[in-house]
């Protein structure tokens, strides 16, 4: 890929105050797709603003998809990516669902490796920090009309990040009984911006009531749990770890998949099955509800300490981080940071 050297490199932020998604590195990948030529003008160049016509289709009909992955650096200055081919594959599936062009799996991964090698110095090394990588694609054809666009833009930008939201501490989630985020046949299993836009109002209202976000129920019965905000959801009842099936209205999270693999490998009983909010409340009353936690690249594991259902708060595990959540968190972050043996071959060293 062509590199246009950036002569004005930025001063790097204080790594103890990164927050999430506030700083962007010196470079980005960009490419254009046209129906006649396919992918053209792919390059690495300075991270800067772009110009688009107001009639660009993405602004009107939301043809947009994205991905999220992280690069880590250990004390030996070795750099790792976590399962990037999974992001590449999912990006293809998202793009197919949204009638958008796809990018070859190898190309997606190789391009990111080239970018990360260039931006190596931007990868923070303090605990709980990493370089967040955001690939995204959108319809840039300028015309007003509902149809798959014939022109697209693809970008990859990077942001050094610290702790997401409140980090590895317990959150309070409101079980959302009014709004829904996804429904069978829709785009719940697709990583597209539109899914996030429709979730904002519920999230805002939950925050106004003092919660950190919502726990979504299924869109048909409003009965089965689906996702913890923008994370996949796990519930521990007695010695069974349950997570709703992914791929229909639940996103196939890479952290979810890794969590299932790690827990099964450690001998836990993991079930991918529907679980209703009534079962969870019943389990709370008979003391068999042990833990609820969310999984996703940004926060890795996000334990839930309180859920509110129909105006009643239910405290889980005395509002403390549970044993399973801690185990998965330590295993995953240990592998990601190159501190634990990567027996699952999840990381690639670049
Ligand atoms: C990205 C995302 C997740 C988590 O997926 P990971 O691959 O683990 O980061 C879960 N739910 C939604 C809606 C998402 O967009």
């Amino acid at each position: 890929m062509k590199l246009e050297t950036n002569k004005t490199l930025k001063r790097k932020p204080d790594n103890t105050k990164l927050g999430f998604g506030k700083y962007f590195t010196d470079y980005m990948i960009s490419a254009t797709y046209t129906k006649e030529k396919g992918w053209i003008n792919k390059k690495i160049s300075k991270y800067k603003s772009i110009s688009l016509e107001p009639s660009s289709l993405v602004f009107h009909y939301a043809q947009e998809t994205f991905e999220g992955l992280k690069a880590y650096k250990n004390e030996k200055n070795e750099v790792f990516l976590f399962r990037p081919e999974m992001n590449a594959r999912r990006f293809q599936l998202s793009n197919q669902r949204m009638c958008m062009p796809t990018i070859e799996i190898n190309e997606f991964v190789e391009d990111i490796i080239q970018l990360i090698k260039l931006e190596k110095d931007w990868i923070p090394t303090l605990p709980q920090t990493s370089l967040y990588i955001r690939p995204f694609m959108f319809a840039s054809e300028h015309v007003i009309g509902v149809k798959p666009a014939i022109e697209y833009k693809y970008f990859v930008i990077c942001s050094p990040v610290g702790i997401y939201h409140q980090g590895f501490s317990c959150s309070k989630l409101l079980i959302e009984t009014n709004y829904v985020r996804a429904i069978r046949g829709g785009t719940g299993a697709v990583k597209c911006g539109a899914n996030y836009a429709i979730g904002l109002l519920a999230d805002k209202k939950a925050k106004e009531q003092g919660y950190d976000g919502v726990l979504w129920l299924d869109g048909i019965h409003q009965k089965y749990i689906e996702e913890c905000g923008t994370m996949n959801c796990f519930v521990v009842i007695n010695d069974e770890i349950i997570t709703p099936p992914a791929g229909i209205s639940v996103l196939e999270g890479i952290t979810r998949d890794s969590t299932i693999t790690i827990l099964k490998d450690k001998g836990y009983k993991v079930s991918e099955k529907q679980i209703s909010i009534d079962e969870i409340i019943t389990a709370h009353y008979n003391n068999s509800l042990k833990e609820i936690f969310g999984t996703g690249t940004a926060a890795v594991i996000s334990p839930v300490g309180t859920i509110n259902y129909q105006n009643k708060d239910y405290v889980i595990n005395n509002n403390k981080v549970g044993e399973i959540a801690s185990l998965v968190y330590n295993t995953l972050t240990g592998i990601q940071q190159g501190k634990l043996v990567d027996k699952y071959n999840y990381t690639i060293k670049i």
Side-chain angles (χ1 to χ4, degrees), residues 48-333:
K48 59 174 190 312
S49 56
I50 56 172
S51 78
L52 291 166
E53 292 210 14
S55 56
S56 297
L57 274 174
V58 64
F59 298 136
H60 307 276
Y61 309 119
Q63 225 189 342
E64 188 267 358
T65 54
F66 67 95
E67 269 304 325
L69 65 160
K70 283 173 169 177
Y72 305 83
K73 188 157 73 181
N74 67 13
E75 302 85 49
K76 290 184 245 164
N77 253 2
E78 296 168 323
V79 175
F80 300 94
L81 290 175
F82 187 77
R83 310 185 78 184
E85 69 294 340
M86 296 282 283
N87 297 93
R89 178 76 195 118
R90 187 170 65 192
F91 198 44
Q92 288 189 330
L93 295 175
S94 295
N95 290 331
Q96 280 160 359
R97 175 64 179 82
M98 303 298 276
C99 294
M100 293 163 66
T102 56
I103 294 174
E104 291 298 324
I105 292 182
N106 282 343
E107 193 178 339
F108 176 97
V109 175
E110 290 304 320
D111 290 348
I112 286 176
I113 289 175
Q114 192 181 337
L115 178 66
I116 299 308
K117 280 183 172 165
L118 185 68
E119 299 283 55
K120 198 169 181 258
D121 293 344
W122 278 93
I123 310 174
T125 52
L126 289 175
Q128 298 188 299
T129 65
S130 57
L131 186 69
Y132 186 77
I133 306 161
R134 166 54 58 86
F136 61 103
M137 193 192 293
F138 57 84
S140 55
E141 182 192 358
H142 25 90
V143 58
I144 290 187
V146 181
K147 57 158 201 136
I150 56 167
E151 196 190 296
Y152 296 84
K153 299 280 184 202
Y154 172 62
F155 289 91
V156 182
I157 58 174
C158 305
S159 171
V161 297
I163 293 161
Y164 190 66
H165 295 321
Q166 72 267 50
F168 194 55
S169 61
C170 288
S171 60
K172 279 177 80 170
L173 298 184
L174 187 75
I175 311 278
E176 178 55 56
T177 53
N178 183 22
Y179 303 105
V180 299
R181 81 169 272 281
I183 194 161
R184 181 180 73 216
T187 56
V190 173
K191 225 166 164 67
C192 61
N195 283 344
Y196 283 69
I198 65 166
L200 290 175
L201 184 59
D203 188 69
K204 178 172 170 258
K205 289 189 171 180
K207 283 178 175 143
E208 282 164 4
Q209 293 176 60
Y211 294 88
D212 298 305
V214 300
L215 199 156
W216 294 107
L217 297 178
D218 76 281
I220 295 174
H221 313 87
Q222 294 195 282
K223 173 176 170 189
Y224 299 102
I225 63 152
E226 296 221 319
E227 298 207 41
C228 294
T230 60
M231 289 191 253
N232 290 116
C233 195
F234 286 75
V235 181
V236 185
I237 294 183
N238 286 324
D239 60 354
E240 186 182 16
I241 301 158
I242 304 159
T243 189
I248 296 171
S249 51
V250 170
L251 193 98
E252 293 190 69
I254 297 162
T255 321
R256 173 187 181 277
D257 181 81
S258 312
T259 299
I260 294 172
T261 301
I262 289 169
L263 288 172
K264 281 187 176 168
D265 183 48
K266 293 191 185 292
Y268 289 93
K269 180 179 175 200
V270 185
S271 311
E272 293 182 64
K273 65 178 192 192
Q274 286 193 315
I275 174 164
S276 69
I277 184 61
D278 296 335
E279 287 172 81
I280 293 175
I281 300 301
T282 303
H284 171 84
Y285 281 119
N286 65 27
N287 292 320
S288 56
L289 175 63
K290 306 290 186 218
E291 296 181 41
I292 298 182
F293 58 90
T295 66
T297 298
V300 189
I301 302 292
S302 180
V304 181
T306 304
I307 53 171
N308 179 292
Y309 184 53
Q310 292 173 336
N311 298 318
K312 188 168 175 351
D313 277 348
Y314 299 87
V315 175
I316 303 157
N317 196 34
N318 293 322
N319 204 26
K320 295 215 169 57
V321 177
E323 206 179 296
I324 310 283
S326 299
L327 175 74
V328 179
Y329 182 81
N330 293 332
T331 309
L332 268 177
T333 54

